[in-house]
Amino acid sequence: MIKYLTQKQVSEILNVKISTLNHHRCTRNKNFDMPYVKVGRVILFPEEQFYAWLQGKTFNNLENFS
């Protein structure tokens, strides 16, 4: 079974606001290639894919994220 992270959980892990996640997701920012699933109005991030994405990012890339 696939486990999902909520926007709140992801924002806490990345230390950014939920509005920042929404902004990068909606503007199709090339640095924001994080996989997500939209179910109605709810945005969920597959846990395994999120951590794989996070491992592929460097500290400098995450600084540019916020």
Side-chain angles (χ1 to χ4, degrees), residues 3-15:
K3 292 185 179 182
Y4 293 94
L5 298 170
T6 64
Q7 284 186 312
K8 182 177 180 180
Q9 292 170 316
V10 171
S11 68
E12 289 172 356
I13 292 168
L14 296 176
N15 197 27

Side-chain angles (χ1 to χ4, degrees), residues 6-45:
T6 64
Q7 284 186 312
K8 182 177 180 180
Q9 292 170 316
V10 171
S11 68
E12 289 172 356
I13 292 168
L14 296 176
N15 197 27
V16 297
K17 295 179 182 179
I18 292 175
S19 60
T20 303
L21 286 177
N22 290 337
H23 171 76
H24 286 285
R25 183 179 47 80
C26 292
T27 59
R28 305 271 186 206
N29 186 335
K30 291 184 181 183
N31 289 331
F32 187 83
D33 54 353
M34 184 188 317
Y36 65 92
V37 176
K38 185 172 181 179
V39 181
R41 293 182 175 183
V42 178
I43 305 296
L44 300 172
F45 299 88

